[in-house]
Short mmCIF file of all heavy atoms in Angstrom, two decimals:
data_model
loop_
_atom_site.label_atom_id
_atom_site.label_comp_id
_atom_site.label_asym_id
_atom_site.label_seq_id
_atom_site.Cartn_x
_atom_site.Cartn_y
_atom_site.Cartn_z
N MET A 97 0.84 -1.18 0.00
CA MET A 97 0.00 0.00 0.00
C MET A 97 0.88 1.25 0.00
O MET A 97 1.85 1.34 0.75
CB MET A 97 -0.88 -0.02 1.24
CG MET A 97 -1.77 1.18 1.39
SD MET A 97 -2.85 0.97 2.82
CE MET A 97 -2.51 2.49 3.66
N LEU A 98 0.55 2.20 -0.86
CA LEU A 98 1.32 3.43 -0.91
C LEU A 98 1.00 4.31 0.30
O LEU A 98 -0.15 4.56 0.61
CB LEU A 98 1.01 4.22 -2.17
CG LEU A 98 1.84 3.88 -3.42
CD1 LEU A 98 1.44 4.79 -4.56
CD2 LEU A 98 3.32 3.96 -3.17
N LEU A 99 2.02 4.76 0.94
CA LEU A 99 1.87 5.66 2.08
C LEU A 99 2.01 7.11 1.59
O LEU A 99 1.28 7.99 2.02
CB LEU A 99 2.94 5.33 3.12
CG LEU A 99 2.75 5.84 4.52
CD1 LEU A 99 1.46 5.32 5.12
CD2 LEU A 99 3.92 5.44 5.39
N CYS A 100 2.96 7.31 0.71
CA CYS A 100 3.20 8.65 0.15
C CYS A 100 2.97 8.58 -1.36
O CYS A 100 3.80 8.05 -2.10
CB CYS A 100 4.62 9.11 0.45
SG CYS A 100 5.02 10.72 -0.24
N ILE A 101 1.87 9.10 -1.78
CA ILE A 101 1.50 9.04 -3.20
C ILE A 101 2.42 9.94 -4.02
O ILE A 101 2.85 9.58 -5.11
CB ILE A 101 0.03 9.45 -3.38
CG1 ILE A 101 -0.87 8.42 -2.70
CG2 ILE A 101 -0.33 9.59 -4.86
CD1 ILE A 101 -2.31 8.85 -2.57
N CYS A 102 2.74 11.09 -3.49
CA CYS A 102 3.58 12.04 -4.24
C CYS A 102 4.93 11.46 -4.61
O CYS A 102 5.44 11.70 -5.70
CB CYS A 102 3.79 13.31 -3.42
SG CYS A 102 2.30 14.25 -3.12
N LYS A 103 5.53 10.72 -3.70
CA LYS A 103 6.87 10.17 -3.92
C LYS A 103 6.88 8.68 -4.18
O LYS A 103 7.94 8.08 -4.35
CB LYS A 103 7.77 10.49 -2.71
CG LYS A 103 7.98 11.98 -2.49
CD LYS A 103 8.73 12.60 -3.67
CE LYS A 103 8.96 14.08 -3.45
NZ LYS A 103 9.74 14.68 -4.53
N GLY A 104 5.70 8.06 -4.19
CA GLY A 104 5.62 6.63 -4.48
C GLY A 104 6.28 5.76 -3.42
O GLY A 104 6.88 4.74 -3.75
N VAL A 105 6.14 6.15 -2.16
CA VAL A 105 6.76 5.39 -1.07
C VAL A 105 5.70 4.50 -0.42
O VAL A 105 4.67 5.00 0.05
CB VAL A 105 7.37 6.34 -0.01
CG1 VAL A 105 8.02 5.55 1.11
CG2 VAL A 105 8.38 7.27 -0.67
N SER A 106 5.99 3.21 -0.38
CA SER A 106 5.04 2.26 0.18
C SER A 106 5.29 2.04 1.67
O SER A 106 6.36 2.37 2.19
CB SER A 106 5.14 0.92 -0.55
OG SER A 106 6.38 0.31 -0.25
N GLU A 107 4.29 1.43 2.31
CA GLU A 107 4.41 1.09 3.72
C GLU A 107 5.57 0.12 3.93
O GLU A 107 6.33 0.25 4.88
CB GLU A 107 3.09 0.48 4.20
CG GLU A 107 3.02 0.25 5.68
CD GLU A 107 1.64 -0.22 6.11
OE1 GLU A 107 0.63 0.35 5.66
OE2 GLU A 107 1.58 -1.16 6.90
N SER A 108 5.72 -0.84 3.03
CA SER A 108 6.81 -1.81 3.17
C SER A 108 8.17 -1.14 2.98
O SER A 108 9.15 -1.53 3.61
CB SER A 108 6.62 -2.98 2.20
OG SER A 108 6.64 -2.52 0.87
N HIS A 109 8.22 -0.14 2.13
CA HIS A 109 9.45 0.64 1.94
C HIS A 109 9.82 1.34 3.24
O HIS A 109 10.99 1.32 3.67
CB HIS A 109 9.21 1.65 0.82
CG HIS A 109 10.45 2.26 0.26
ND1 HIS A 109 10.42 3.20 -0.75
CD2 HIS A 109 11.75 2.11 0.56
CE1 HIS A 109 11.65 3.58 -1.02
NE2 HIS A 109 12.47 2.93 -0.25
N VAL A 110 8.84 1.93 3.89
CA VAL A 110 9.08 2.61 5.17
C VAL A 110 9.54 1.60 6.21
O VAL A 110 10.52 1.84 6.93
CB VAL A 110 7.80 3.33 5.64
CG1 VAL A 110 7.95 3.81 7.09
CG2 VAL A 110 7.49 4.50 4.73
N LYS A 111 8.87 0.45 6.26
CA LYS A 111 9.25 -0.57 7.25
C LYS A 111 10.67 -1.05 7.03
O LYS A 111 11.40 -1.28 8.00
CB LYS A 111 8.27 -1.75 7.18
CG LYS A 111 6.91 -1.42 7.76
CD LYS A 111 5.96 -2.61 7.67
CE LYS A 111 4.62 -2.27 8.29
NZ LYS A 111 3.66 -3.39 8.17
N ALA A 112 11.08 -1.19 5.79
CA ALA A 112 12.45 -1.62 5.50
C ALA A 112 13.46 -0.60 6.01
O ALA A 112 14.47 -0.96 6.61
CB ALA A 112 12.61 -1.84 4.00
N HIS A 113 13.18 0.67 5.80
CA HIS A 113 14.10 1.71 6.28
C HIS A 113 14.15 1.74 7.79
O HIS A 113 15.22 1.87 8.39
CB HIS A 113 13.68 3.08 5.73
CG HIS A 113 14.16 3.32 4.34
ND1 HIS A 113 15.36 3.92 4.05
CD2 HIS A 113 13.60 3.02 3.14
CE1 HIS A 113 15.53 3.98 2.74
NE2 HIS A 113 14.46 3.44 2.17
N VAL A 114 12.99 1.61 8.43
CA VAL A 114 12.95 1.65 9.89
C VAL A 114 13.69 0.44 10.46
O VAL A 114 14.45 0.57 11.43
CB VAL A 114 11.49 1.70 10.40
CG1 VAL A 114 11.44 1.56 11.91
CG2 VAL A 114 10.84 3.00 9.96
N SER A 115 13.54 -0.71 9.85
CA SER A 115 14.22 -1.90 10.36
C SER A 115 15.74 -1.80 10.18
O SER A 115 16.49 -2.51 10.84
CB SER A 115 13.69 -3.16 9.67
OG SER A 115 14.07 -3.18 8.32
N GLN A 116 16.19 -0.90 9.32
CA GLN A 116 17.63 -0.68 9.14
C GLN A 116 18.15 0.46 10.02
O GLN A 116 19.29 0.88 9.88
CB GLN A 116 17.93 -0.38 7.67
CG GLN A 116 17.71 -1.60 6.79
CD GLN A 116 17.88 -1.28 5.31
OE1 GLN A 116 18.26 -0.18 4.94
NE2 GLN A 116 17.57 -2.24 4.47
N GLY A 117 17.29 0.98 10.90
CA GLY A 117 17.77 1.94 11.87
C GLY A 117 17.23 3.34 11.74
O GLY A 117 17.55 4.20 12.55
N VAL A 118 16.44 3.61 10.72
CA VAL A 118 15.86 4.94 10.59
C VAL A 118 14.76 5.08 11.64
O VAL A 118 13.82 4.29 11.67
CB VAL A 118 15.28 5.16 9.18
CG1 VAL A 118 14.55 6.49 9.10
CG2 VAL A 118 16.39 5.10 8.15
N CYS A 119 14.91 6.06 12.55
CA CYS A 119 13.94 6.16 13.64
C CYS A 119 13.40 7.58 13.81
O CYS A 119 12.77 7.87 14.82
CB CYS A 119 14.53 5.63 14.94
SG CYS A 119 16.03 6.47 15.43
N THR A 120 13.65 8.46 12.85
CA THR A 120 13.07 9.79 12.92
C THR A 120 12.42 10.13 11.58
O THR A 120 12.84 9.62 10.53
CB THR A 120 14.13 10.87 13.22
OG1 THR A 120 15.05 10.96 12.13
CG2 THR A 120 14.88 10.58 14.52
N MET A 121 11.43 10.99 11.63
CA MET A 121 10.76 11.42 10.40
C MET A 121 11.73 12.15 9.48
O MET A 121 11.64 12.04 8.26
CB MET A 121 9.57 12.32 10.73
CG MET A 121 8.31 11.58 11.11
SD MET A 121 7.71 10.52 9.76
CE MET A 121 7.25 11.74 8.55
N GLN A 122 12.63 12.90 10.08
CA GLN A 122 13.60 13.66 9.27
C GLN A 122 14.46 12.72 8.43
O GLN A 122 14.63 12.93 7.22
CB GLN A 122 14.47 14.52 10.18
CG GLN A 122 15.42 15.41 9.41
CD GLN A 122 16.25 16.31 10.31
OE1 GLN A 122 16.28 16.13 11.52
NE2 GLN A 122 16.92 17.27 9.72
N LYS A 123 14.97 11.67 9.05
CA LYS A 123 15.79 10.71 8.30
C LYS A 123 14.97 9.96 7.28
O LYS A 123 15.43 9.70 6.16
CB LYS A 123 16.47 9.74 9.27
CG LYS A 123 17.62 10.34 10.01
CD LYS A 123 18.36 9.30 10.81
CE LYS A 123 19.57 9.93 11.48
NZ LYS A 123 20.37 8.95 12.21
N LEU A 124 13.76 9.60 7.68
CA LEU A 124 12.89 8.88 6.76
C LEU A 124 12.59 9.74 5.53
O LEU A 124 12.64 9.26 4.39
CB LEU A 124 11.59 8.49 7.48
CG LEU A 124 10.67 7.52 6.78
CD1 LEU A 124 11.37 6.20 6.48
CD2 LEU A 124 9.43 7.27 7.63
N SER A 125 12.32 11.00 5.74
CA SER A 125 12.05 11.92 4.64
C SER A 125 13.28 12.11 3.76
O SER A 125 13.18 12.13 2.53
CB SER A 125 11.58 13.27 5.18
OG SER A 125 10.33 13.15 5.78
N CYS A 126 14.43 12.25 4.38
CA CYS A 126 15.68 12.43 3.62
C CYS A 126 15.97 11.22 2.74
O CYS A 126 16.41 11.37 1.60
CB CYS A 126 16.86 12.67 4.56
SG CYS A 126 16.88 14.29 5.28
N GLN A 127 15.74 10.03 3.28
CA GLN A 127 16.11 8.82 2.56
C GLN A 127 15.07 8.39 1.52
O GLN A 127 15.40 7.73 0.55
CB GLN A 127 16.36 7.68 3.54
CG GLN A 127 17.61 7.92 4.37
CD GLN A 127 18.00 6.73 5.21
OE1 GLN A 127 17.46 5.65 5.08
NE2 GLN A 127 18.96 6.93 6.09
N THR A 128 13.80 8.75 1.74
CA THR A 128 12.76 8.27 0.83
C THR A 128 12.06 9.38 0.06
O THR A 128 11.44 9.13 -0.95
CB THR A 128 11.67 7.49 1.61
OG1 THR A 128 11.01 8.41 2.49
CG2 THR A 128 12.27 6.34 2.40
N GLY A 129 12.13 10.60 0.57
CA GLY A 129 11.39 11.70 -0.03
C GLY A 129 9.99 11.83 0.53
O GLY A 129 9.26 12.77 0.21
N LEU A 130 9.61 10.87 1.37
CA LEU A 130 8.28 10.86 1.97
C LEU A 130 7.98 12.18 2.69
O LEU A 130 8.80 12.67 3.45
CB LEU A 130 8.21 9.69 2.96
CG LEU A 130 6.89 9.46 3.68
CD1 LEU A 130 6.71 7.97 3.91
CD2 LEU A 130 6.86 10.19 4.99
N GLY A 131 6.82 12.73 2.42
CA GLY A 131 6.39 13.93 3.11
C GLY A 131 7.03 15.22 2.64
O GLY A 131 6.82 16.27 3.24
N THR A 132 7.77 15.18 1.57
CA THR A 132 8.49 16.37 1.13
C THR A 132 7.76 17.16 0.05
O THR A 132 8.28 18.17 -0.43
CB THR A 132 9.90 16.01 0.62
OG1 THR A 132 9.77 15.09 -0.47
CG2 THR A 132 10.75 15.40 1.72
N GLN A 133 6.58 16.70 -0.31
CA GLN A 133 5.83 17.45 -1.32
C GLN A 133 4.57 18.05 -0.70
O GLN A 133 4.64 19.13 -0.14
CB GLN A 133 5.51 16.56 -2.52
CG GLN A 133 5.18 17.37 -3.76
CD GLN A 133 5.34 16.55 -5.02
OE1 GLN A 133 6.17 15.65 -5.10
NE2 GLN A 133 4.54 16.86 -6.01
N CYS A 134 3.44 17.38 -0.74
CA CYS A 134 2.21 17.97 -0.18
C CYS A 134 2.13 17.82 1.34
O CYS A 134 1.47 18.60 1.99
CB CYS A 134 0.99 17.36 -0.83
SG CYS A 134 0.58 15.69 -0.27
N GLY A 135 2.76 16.77 1.88
CA GLY A 135 2.79 16.57 3.33
C GLY A 135 1.61 15.82 3.91
O GLY A 135 1.57 15.58 5.12
N VAL A 136 0.67 15.42 3.09
CA VAL A 136 -0.53 14.73 3.58
C VAL A 136 -0.17 13.41 4.28
O VAL A 136 -0.84 12.99 5.22
CB VAL A 136 -1.52 14.48 2.41
CG1 VAL A 136 -2.61 13.50 2.79
CG2 VAL A 136 -2.12 15.80 1.96
N CYS A 137 0.88 12.78 3.85
CA CYS A 137 1.27 11.45 4.36
C CYS A 137 2.00 11.50 5.69
O CYS A 137 2.21 10.47 6.32
CB CYS A 137 2.15 10.76 3.34
SG CYS A 137 3.65 11.71 2.98
N ARG A 138 2.41 12.64 6.11
CA ARG A 138 3.27 12.74 7.29
C ARG A 138 2.65 12.15 8.55
O ARG A 138 3.32 11.46 9.32
CB ARG A 138 3.66 14.19 7.55
CG ARG A 138 4.70 14.70 6.58
CD ARG A 138 5.16 16.08 6.95
NE ARG A 138 5.85 16.68 5.83
CZ ARG A 138 5.87 17.97 5.56
NH1 ARG A 138 5.24 18.81 6.34
NH2 ARG A 138 6.51 18.43 4.52
N LYS A 139 1.38 12.41 8.78
CA LYS A 139 0.73 11.92 9.99
C LYS A 139 0.72 10.39 10.01
O LYS A 139 1.08 9.77 11.01
CB LYS A 139 -0.69 12.46 10.09
CG LYS A 139 -1.39 12.06 11.37
CD LYS A 139 -2.76 12.69 11.49
CE LYS A 139 -3.45 12.23 12.77
NZ LYS A 139 -4.81 12.78 12.86
N SER A 140 0.33 9.78 8.90
CA SER A 140 0.29 8.31 8.83
C SER A 140 1.69 7.73 8.95
O SER A 140 1.89 6.71 9.62
CB SER A 140 -0.32 7.87 7.50
OG SER A 140 -1.63 8.32 7.40
N ALA A 141 2.66 8.37 8.31
CA ALA A 141 4.03 7.88 8.37
C ALA A 141 4.56 7.97 9.79
O ALA A 141 5.24 7.06 10.27
CB ALA A 141 4.90 8.68 7.42
N ARG A 142 4.27 9.05 10.47
CA ARG A 142 4.74 9.23 11.84
C ARG A 142 4.13 8.16 12.75
O ARG A 142 4.80 7.59 13.60
CB ARG A 142 4.40 10.64 12.35
CG ARG A 142 4.91 10.88 13.78
CD ARG A 142 4.80 12.33 14.20
NE ARG A 142 5.84 13.11 13.52
CZ ARG A 142 5.59 14.08 12.62
NH1 ARG A 142 4.36 14.40 12.33
NH2 ARG A 142 6.57 14.73 12.06
N GLN A 143 2.84 7.87 12.54
CA GLN A 143 2.18 6.84 13.36
C GLN A 143 2.84 5.48 13.13
O GLN A 143 3.08 4.73 14.07
CB GLN A 143 0.69 6.77 13.02
CG GLN A 143 -0.09 7.96 13.55
CD GLN A 143 -1.54 7.97 13.10
OE1 GLN A 143 -1.92 7.29 12.15
NE2 GLN A 143 -2.37 8.73 13.80
N LEU A 144 3.11 5.16 11.86
CA LEU A 144 3.76 3.89 11.54
C LEU A 144 5.16 3.84 12.15
O LEU A 144 5.56 2.84 12.74
CB LEU A 144 3.83 3.71 10.02
CG LEU A 144 4.54 2.46 9.52
CD1 LEU A 144 3.85 1.20 10.03
CD2 LEU A 144 4.58 2.46 7.99
N LEU A 145 5.90 4.92 12.02
CA LEU A 145 7.25 5.00 12.57
C LEU A 145 7.22 4.81 14.09
O LEU A 145 7.98 4.00 14.63
CB LEU A 145 7.86 6.35 12.20
CG LEU A 145 9.27 6.63 12.69
CD1 LEU A 145 10.26 5.68 12.02
CD2 LEU A 145 9.65 8.06 12.35
N ASN A 146 6.35 5.52 14.76
CA ASN A 146 6.26 5.42 16.22
C ASN A 146 5.86 4.02 16.65
O ASN A 146 6.38 3.49 17.64
CB ASN A 146 5.25 6.44 16.76
CG ASN A 146 5.77 7.86 16.68
OD1 ASN A 146 6.96 8.09 16.52
ND2 ASN A 146 4.86 8.82 16.75
N GLN A 147 4.95 3.42 15.90
CA GLN A 147 4.50 2.06 16.21
C GLN A 147 5.66 1.07 16.07
O GLN A 147 5.87 0.22 16.92
CB GLN A 147 3.35 1.68 15.29
CG GLN A 147 2.80 0.29 15.54
CD GLN A 147 1.71 -0.06 14.53
OE1 GLN A 147 1.54 0.61 13.52
NE2 GLN A 147 0.97 -1.11 14.81
N MET A 148 6.42 1.21 15.01
CA MET A 148 7.54 0.30 14.78
C MET A 148 8.63 0.49 15.82
O MET A 148 9.22 -0.48 16.30
CB MET A 148 8.10 0.49 13.38
CG MET A 148 7.19 -0.05 12.31
SD MET A 148 8.02 -0.16 10.73
CE MET A 148 9.14 -1.53 11.06
N VAL A 149 8.93 1.73 16.16
CA VAL A 149 9.96 2.00 17.17
C VAL A 149 9.53 1.44 18.52
O VAL A 149 10.33 0.86 19.25
CB VAL A 149 10.25 3.52 17.26
CG1 VAL A 149 11.12 3.84 18.46
CG2 VAL A 149 10.93 4.00 15.98
N ALA A 150 8.25 1.57 18.85
CA ALA A 150 7.74 1.09 20.13
C ALA A 150 7.75 -0.43 20.21
O ALA A 150 7.98 -0.99 21.28
CB ALA A 150 6.33 1.62 20.35
N THR A 151 7.50 -1.09 19.10
CA THR A 151 7.41 -2.55 19.12
C THR A 151 8.73 -3.25 18.82
O THR A 151 8.87 -4.43 19.11
CB THR A 151 6.34 -3.06 18.13
OG1 THR A 151 6.65 -2.58 16.82
CG2 THR A 151 4.96 -2.58 18.54
N ASN A 152 9.70 -2.55 18.25
CA ASN A 152 10.98 -3.17 17.90
C ASN A 152 12.17 -2.31 18.32
O ASN A 152 13.05 -2.05 17.51
CB ASN A 152 11.06 -3.41 16.38
CG ASN A 152 9.96 -4.31 15.91
OD1 ASN A 152 9.84 -5.43 16.34
ND2 ASN A 152 9.15 -3.80 15.00
N PRO A 153 12.22 -1.86 19.56
CA PRO A 153 13.30 -0.93 19.93
C PRO A 153 14.69 -1.54 19.82
O PRO A 153 15.64 -0.85 19.45
CB PRO A 153 12.98 -0.57 21.38
CG PRO A 153 12.12 -1.68 21.87
CD PRO A 153 11.36 -2.16 20.67
N THR A 154 14.87 -2.82 20.10
CA THR A 154 16.22 -3.40 20.04
C THR A 154 16.69 -3.56 18.61
O THR A 154 17.85 -3.32 18.30
CB THR A 154 16.28 -4.76 20.77
OG1 THR A 154 15.28 -5.60 20.21
CG2 THR A 154 16.07 -4.60 22.24
N THR A 155 15.79 -3.94 17.73
CA THR A 155 16.15 -4.09 16.32
C THR A 155 16.55 -2.75 15.75
O THR A 155 17.56 -2.61 15.05
CB THR A 155 14.95 -4.65 15.51
OG1 THR A 155 14.59 -5.89 16.07
CG2 THR A 155 15.30 -4.80 14.06
N ILE A 156 15.78 -1.73 16.06
CA ILE A 156 16.03 -0.41 15.52
C ILE A 156 17.30 0.19 16.14
O ILE A 156 18.12 0.79 15.45
CB ILE A 156 14.81 0.50 15.75
CG1 ILE A 156 13.68 -0.03 14.86
CG2 ILE A 156 15.12 1.94 15.43
CD1 ILE A 156 12.33 0.51 15.18
N ALA A 157 17.50 -0.05 17.44
CA ALA A 157 18.67 0.49 18.11
C ALA A 157 19.97 -0.08 17.53
O ALA A 157 21.00 0.57 17.55
CB ALA A 157 18.61 0.22 19.60
N SER A 158 19.92 -1.27 16.98
CA SER A 158 21.12 -1.88 16.42
C SER A 158 21.31 -1.57 14.94
O SER A 158 22.25 -2.03 14.32
CB SER A 158 21.08 -3.40 16.62
OG SER A 158 20.01 -3.95 15.88
N GLY A 159 20.41 -0.77 14.39
CA GLY A 159 20.48 -0.44 12.97
C GLY A 159 21.67 0.44 12.64
O GLY A 159 22.27 1.07 13.52
N VAL A 160 21.98 0.51 11.36
CA VAL A 160 23.16 1.23 10.92
C VAL A 160 23.07 2.74 11.05
O VAL A 160 24.08 3.41 11.19
CB VAL A 160 23.53 0.88 9.46
CG1 VAL A 160 23.99 -0.56 9.38
CG2 VAL A 160 22.37 1.14 8.52
N SER A 161 21.86 3.29 10.99
CA SER A 161 21.78 4.73 11.03
C SER A 161 20.90 5.23 12.18
O SER A 161 20.28 6.27 12.09
CB SER A 161 21.25 5.27 9.70
OG SER A 161 19.97 4.75 9.45
N ALA A 162 20.82 4.47 13.26
CA ALA A 162 20.01 4.88 14.41
C ALA A 162 20.60 6.13 15.03
O ALA A 162 21.80 6.34 15.05
CB ALA A 162 19.97 3.76 15.45
N GLY A 163 19.71 6.94 15.57
CA GLY A 163 20.17 8.12 16.31
C GLY A 163 19.90 9.36 15.70
O GLY A 163 19.46 10.02 15.01
S1 FES B 215 1.55 12.15 -0.14
FE1 FES B 215 3.52 12.27 0.71
S2 FES B 215 4.23 14.25 0.17
FE2 FES B 215 2.30 14.09 -0.76
#
C-alpha cells in the first residue's frame, strides 16, 4: 500500500528503512522523499514509525543509522 503518493513510497518501503535503523521522520524523509511534497502522508508515516519504534526498539537500536 502506498503511504506517500507524491513520492511513491510504500508502507513496506518505510518498514524496510525503519528496520535498518531509521527512527526519525527527518531521516525517513531524507532517505525516501516521503512527506516532502504535499505533506498529507506525514501523519500516517509518523504513526507507523512510532508504532515500529515502540514494538521493535532493540532491532532499531542496532540499525546502521540509528540516532
Ligand atoms: S503524499 Fe507524501 S508528500 Fe504528498
Side-chain angles (χ1 to χ4, degrees):
M97 178 176 127
L98 273 182
L99 197 59
C100 178
I101 295 168
C102 295
K103 297 296 181 177
V105 180
S106 68
E107 188 174 315
S108 61
H109 195 180
V110 169
K111 287 180 178 178
H113 279 269
V114 173
S115 69
Q116 292 175 6
V118 174
C119 58
T120 65
M121 278 299 294
Q122 184 177 12
K123 285 187 176 183
L124 191 58
S125 293
C126 285
Q127 292 188 9
T128 65
L130 182 147
T132 59
Q133 200 160 329
C134 76
V136 167
C137 59
R138 285 186 196 149
K139 184 176 178 183
S140 298
R142 181 170 286 115
Q143 287 174 342
L144 177 61
L145 180 66
N146 289 343
Q147 181 183 13
M148 288 193 71
V149 170
T151 57
N152 300 301
T154 54
T155 301
I156 291 166
S158 65
V160 292
S161 60

